[in-house]
Amino acid sequence: MTSFLDYREGTTEGSLEGHFLIAMPSMDDTRFRRTLIYLCAHSSSGAMGIIINQLSPHIRFPELLAQLQIIPEMRQDRLPAELEAFPVLQGGPVEQSRGFVLHSADYTIDNATIEIGKGICLTATLDILKAIATREGPRKALLALGYAGWRPGQLEAELQDNAWLHGPAEAELIFETNLTSKYTRALNTLGIDPAFLSGEAGHA
């Protein structure tokens, strides 16, 4: 199976790595309808991104920590409020059993953390979840299960077909806890009112 690092091989000047992808209203794939994706890799080898505005319907953060044996199962209902409320997102349809943490650059793990954009890092190890659970992790973070992947040339074709808008990512919006507002706010950063957006519009 393609790994995250594979998607970064052959990165070119026109790469959208570190940008947002915003699903157009005409998106016919229900898995991506009204999604906001942070693109973590984009090269001649393909593309990989994480949906940052869909809550996972299957598991809460305390349950995940207990399943991974980071905390004892008996403690999952006695975590601090901020950990009880820490969202677990549905990052995409690929490798949904694997966790990816997008986080601020104040926390890194040698040979595990990759800087994607300015001040935005990606770590996919248990160590960062352990640090978050003990409140020793990054100042800002989100956890997503799974990711969205595109084979070589696929994302470019979808952009040509107006399936996505794209634009520079904003760290504040990545870590915004109000998931329902992210899609509209991302459109607003491009100067677009979603009420007037049609499926025939071009990409930014």
Side-chain angles (χ1 to χ4, degrees), residues 23 27-37 51 53-54 90-94 96 147-150 154 158 164:
M27 174 65 69
D28 56 6
D29 189 331
T30 56
R31 299 172 300 175
F32 297 107
R33 192 163 294 160
R34 289 184 62 85
T35 55
L36 174 62
I37 294 177
I51 299 171
N53 68 330
Q54 285 188 347
Q90 190 164 272
V94 184
Q96 292 185 329
Y147 66 89
W150 292 263
Q154 182 182 2
E158 292 181 9
W164 304 96

Side-chain angles (χ1 to χ4, degrees), residues 178-202:
N178 184 348
L179 300 183
T180 58
S181 71
K182 280 187 173 183
Y183 180 80
T184 298
R185 286 184 58 190
L187 288 173
N188 290 340
T189 64
L190 300 180
I192 296 172
D193 183 342
F196 296 98
L197 188 65
S198 78
E200 302 302 318

Side-chain angles (χ1 to χ4, degrees), residues 27-95:
M27 174 65 69
D28 56 6
D29 189 331
T30 56
R31 299 172 300 175
F32 297 107
R33 192 163 294 160
R34 289 184 62 85
T35 55
L36 174 62
I37 294 177
Y38 181 65
L39 204 58
C40 300
H42 181 211
S43 71
S44 58
S45 300
M48 175 268 190
I50 294 174
I51 299 171
I52 61 171
N53 68 330
Q54 285 188 347
L55 195 66
S56 173
H58 305 300
I59 194 165
R60 295 167 50 247
F61 190 58
E63 295 169 347
L64 181 64
L65 294 180
Q67 284 186 15
L68 295 172
Q69 299 183 335
I70 293 173
I71 62 169
E73 187 172 352
M74 67 186 69
R75 281 189 51 209
Q76 65 177 284
D77 294 325
R78 301 201 304 271
L79 291 177
E82 65 267 28
L83 294 181
E84 285 278 356
F86 193 83
V88 180
L89 305 185
Q90 190 164 272
V94 184
E95 288 195 82

Side-chain angles (χ1 to χ4, degrees), residues 2-12 14-21 37-50 100 102 114-117 120 122 147-153 155-156 159:
T2 303
S3 73
F4 167 66
L5 291 178
D6 292 334
Y7 288 112
R8 304 191 94 204
E9 292 182 359
T11 300
T12 61
S15 172
L16 296 178
E17 183 174 303
H19 282 61
F20 281 148
L21 290 180
I37 294 177
Y38 181 65
L39 204 58
C40 300
H42 181 211
S43 71
S44 58
S45 300
M48 175 268 190
I50 294 174
F100 298 86
L102 288 173
I114 298 172
E115 185 173 9
I116 306 300
I120 306 297
L122 175 69
Y147 66 89
W150 292 263
R151 62 182 179 273
L155 179 57
E156 289 79 0
L159 289 168

Side-chain angles (χ1 to χ4, degrees), residues 20 38 52 102 120 142 169-176 182:
F20 281 148
Y38 181 65
I52 61 171
L102 288 173
I120 306 297
L142 65 80
E170 295 184 358
E172 179 184 356
L173 188 51
I174 291 173
F175 300 116
E176 168 62 56
K182 280 187 173 183

